[in-house]
Amino acid sequence: MAIDFNVNGKAARSEAPPHTPLLWVIREELKLTGTRFGCGTGLCGACMVHIDGKRTFACQTSVSDVAGRAVTTIEGLSENSSHPVQRAWLAERVPQCGYCQSGQIMSAADLLAHNPKPSREQIVEHMSTNICRCGTYPRIVRAIERAAQEG
Amino acid sequence: MTAMRHIEINRRQVMVGAAGLTFALASGLRFAQGQAARSATLSPWVTIATDDTVAIMSPAAEMGQGSLTSLPLILAEELDADWSKVRVIVAPPNDDLYKNPSFGFMYTAGSNAVTSYFKELRLFGAQVRKVLLANAAKHWNVPVAELSTEPNVVIHARSGRRLSYGEVAAFAEIPAKAPDVAEDELKRPAAFRLIGRDVMRVDLPGKVDGTAPYAINVQVPGMLYGAILRAPVEGAGPDMIDDGKAKAIAGVVRIVALPYGVGVVAQTPYAAFEAKNALNVTWARTGKAWGFNSEEALIAFAAAARDL
C-alpha cells in the first residue's frame, strides 16, 4: 500500500490514499512547506515541483503517480540558494509577499534547464502557468534574463 | 523555542509596564534563558549579545512591503549598529510596547509604518546608544563627551581605546529610566550610514529558498483542518445537507451546518477538501442574487451601452 519515491535525493514513503495530491504529502507528511497550496486546481502554479526533472503541478499529481520517480521541491533545488535562478531572484529582489515564489522559481528553473537562452516572449509564455497576486512579473522576467545571462 | 522565549520576556515587560530601559527586562531574559547573562536587554526593542549580535524588534507585519527591514534599520541607524550584526525579531503582540503611533495599537496598514514609527524608532535607538556610551565612559573613567561611535563600537579617540557593543553589553548597567534624547542629538541625514542605502530585504532569502513562514505552515499537536462549502449566492444558506458521501471519507471528523454554508472538519487538509467536494447541499433560495445570470447581464449592459 505504501508508495515509495524520491524527494530531493532522499528516499520517501507515503501511506496516504493513492489519489492524495502529492502537494499534501510533501507539505503535511514530509514537512516541506516551501511548496505552496494556492488554488488546488492547477491554475496558479504555487505548488510547482519537478518530477524527473520536468515541472509539474503538485496539486494535480496523485502521490501514486510518483511511485519510483524523483521529485524536487524548492528545498532541493540547490544548496544555500546557489541555483542561478535563485541568485538572480535575490539580485533582482523579485519577491514581494513571496507566497507564489517557490513555484515561480521552480518554473523558471525548468525553463532554463530546457532552453538556456530563452527570448522574452518564450519567458512570458513559459511563466504564464504561474500567477503572482503582488504583480512581480516584470522582476520575474528580468531575473530569468539575468539567470540566463549569468548562468 | 524562540517564540516561547519572547512570550516570556513579553510577560515581564507587561509587568514592569515600561517602554523604556529596565533591569527587569535583562533579568527576565536571563531567567528565561536559564543561564548566566550572555546578553543585555537594553530596551524592549534591543538586545545586545556579548558576541556583538544586535537583536532588534520589528513591530509591523511583513507582507512584502519591507517593514521587517525598514523599521529595525531606522533604530539601527541611531544606535549606530553594524547592520551585518543585526538580527531582526518579529515583535510579540503587545500594544503598550510596540503600538503603531498613528493608531495606538499594533496595526500594519495604510502604507504608513515607516512614517508613523520613524521618530520613535530613532529615539529608541539613540537611547540605547546613550546607555552604551554612559557605561563605556564609566568603565574607562572618562567624560562621556569624549566618546563617539562607529558601527557597533564605542571609541575613545583621545586614548585610542575601543569597546565593541557586545563587550559593553557584558558589563552594562541599565538605568531604571531611559535617558532623555533631545531632537538635536539625533543624527543629521548627512551622517546616515543605513537610511537611504540599498539594503537586502531581511525577508527575501527565505522567500527564495522556501523557508519563509506563512500562516498555513503552522502546525500544533492534534490540529484539525477545516474547509467551508459556501452558498453560491450571498445571503443564502443550506436547506438540506446530504453528507453521506462526505462522512464516509477517511479522516473526516465532523460536518457542521453554518448560516452561510457547510463546514467540514478533518484530520488532513486534503480530507477536508475532498469531503467538501463530496457534499450534496440544497440551498435555500434566499439572497438577492438568486437567478442572476452574468452572461445575460453582460448582453443587456452591452445593449444599454450602445444606446448611450
Side-chain angles (χ1 to χ4, degrees):
Chain A
M1 222 23 213
I3 295 153
D4 288 297
F5 53 111
N6 184 294
V7 176
N8 299 333
K10 287 185 205 136
R13 168 172 285 200
S14 175
E15 309 269 354
H19 64 281
T20 305
L22 175 65
L23 168 67
W24 296 112
V25 172
I26 290 171
R27 288 187 54 86
E28 303 287 322
E29 294 182 25
L30 306 179
K31 310 294 182 197
L32 296 170
T33 52
T35 303
R36 306 272 152 68
F37 166 67
C39 66
T41 54
L43 294 171
C44 77
C47 68
M48 204 68 87
V49 296
H50 297 171
I51 298 178
D52 291 340
K54 196 173 178 307
R55 70 169 174 173
T56 312
F57 294 110
C59 79
Q60 296 297 295
T61 306
S62 298
V63 65
S64 57
D65 290 345
V66 297
R69 300 173 76 184
V71 178
T72 306
T73 69
I74 185 73
E75 290 90 347
L77 185 63
S78 73
E79 286 282 321
N80 305 315
S81 296
S82 57
H83 190 285
V85 168
Q86 288 169 303
R87 283 193 277 118
W89 240 247
L90 284 173
E92 296 291 342
R93 312 281 207 268
V94 173
Q96 191 171 314
C97 95
Y99 194 79
C100 73
Q101 297 294 341
S102 300
Q104 303 279 2
I105 289 167
M106 296 309 280
S107 268
D110 171 79
L111 170 66
L112 295 181
H114 299 102
N115 180 3
K117 300 285 173 198
S119 68
R120 193 178 192 286
E121 288 68 29
Q122 286 171 328
I123 293 171
V124 171
E125 170 61 26
H126 184 89
M127 296 303 292
S128 67
T129 51
N130 290 70
I131 292 173
C132 173
R133 197 273 190 193
C134 299
T136 60
Y137 303 112
R139 295 201 294 274
I140 287 171
V141 173
R142 277 207 300 276
I144 294 172
E145 287 171 342
R146 178 191 281 263
Q149 208 159 41
E150 297 179 354
Chain B
M1 275 311 277
T2 312
M4 288 300 290
R5 186 162 61 85
H6 290 128
I7 290 163
E8 187 64 30
I9 298 165
N10 191 34
R11 289 209 185 103
R12 279 156 211 284
Q13 287 165 344
V14 174
M15 278 164 55
V16 298
L21 315 174
T22 66
F23 278 111
L25 294 173
S27 55
L29 184 67
R30 283 167 204 166
F31 177 82
Q33 288 183 332
Q35 58 192 47
R38 279 181 51 243
S39 59
T41 297
L42 296 168
S43 89
W45 292 87
V46 180
T47 301
I48 297 178
T50 48
D51 71 357
D52 229 22
T53 303
V54 179
I56 301 177
M57 292 290 190
S58 187
E62 174 63 64
M63 295 176 275
Q65 80 281 40
S67 293
L68 197 64
T69 310
S70 56
L71 299 179
L73 185 128
I74 294 164
L75 193 155
E77 179 70 73
E78 290 295 340
L79 172 58
D80 226 0
D82 179 343
W83 186 248
S84 70
K85 291 174 179 164
V86 169
R87 298 290 170 269
V88 174
I89 297 169
V90 177
N94 184 328
D95 289 335
D96 289 339
L97 295 171
Y98 304 115
K99 62 178 171 284
N100 181 324
S102 291
F103 296 107
F105 54 102
M106 288 174 84
Y107 189 57
T108 312
S111 302
N112 79 352
V114 165
T115 46
S116 294
Y117 280 105
F118 189 68
K119 275 189 180 170
E120 282 199 358
L121 291 177
R122 291 184 73 191
L123 173 67
F124 295 151
Q127 286 175 332
V128 174
R129 179 174 172 273
K130 260 194 162 176
V131 171
L132 293 169
L133 287 173
N135 275 285
K138 196 175 163 198
H139 186 75
W140 284 325
N141 196 22
V142 298
V144 74
E146 292 181 4
L147 302 183
S148 61
T149 56
E150 282 177 11
N152 262 41
V153 185
V154 181
I155 293 164
H156 185 234
R158 283 183 61 171
S159 63
R161 283 178 292 187
R162 301 161 67 88
L163 279 169
S164 74
Y165 284 6
E167 287 170 326
V168 179
F171 61 78
E173 289 182 15
I174 301 159
K177 186 181 168 298
D180 292 325
V181 174
E183 188 111 351
D184 64 4
E185 290 182 89
L186 296 174
K187 283 187 184 177
R188 280 185 295 280
F192 285 165
R193 300 182 207 266
L194 298 172
I195 293 173
R197 301 292 163 85
D198 186 13
V199 172
M200 175 54 80
R201 262 167 52 201
V202 171
D203 56 316
L204 283 204
K207 289 175 176 178
V208 166
D209 67 15
T211 59
Y214 292 89
I216 196 173
N217 298 358
V218 173
Q219 295 201 327
V220 295
M223 188 165 91
L224 296 174
Y225 296 81
I228 297 174
L229 177 68
R230 289 178 187 277
V233 166
E234 199 276 327
D239 194 7
M240 302 221 316
I241 303 168
D242 171 6
D243 59 6
K245 278 186 193 164
K247 274 184 169 166
I249 290 165
V252 172
V253 174
R254 213 178 140 192
I255 311 291
V256 187
L258 301 165
Y260 49 85
V262 182
V264 175
V265 182
Q267 287 168 339
T268 66
Y270 185 59
F273 287 132
E274 214 183 2
K276 181 186 114 169
N277 293 335
L279 286 169
N280 188 5
V281 179
T282 308
W283 301 99
R285 294 176 73 85
T286 48
K288 282 183 181 172
W290 273 108
F292 180 84
N293 183 322
S294 53
E295 293 299 323
E296 287 171 11
L298 181 62
I299 292 165
F301 285 142
R306 277 194 292 275
D307 270 356
L308 285 178

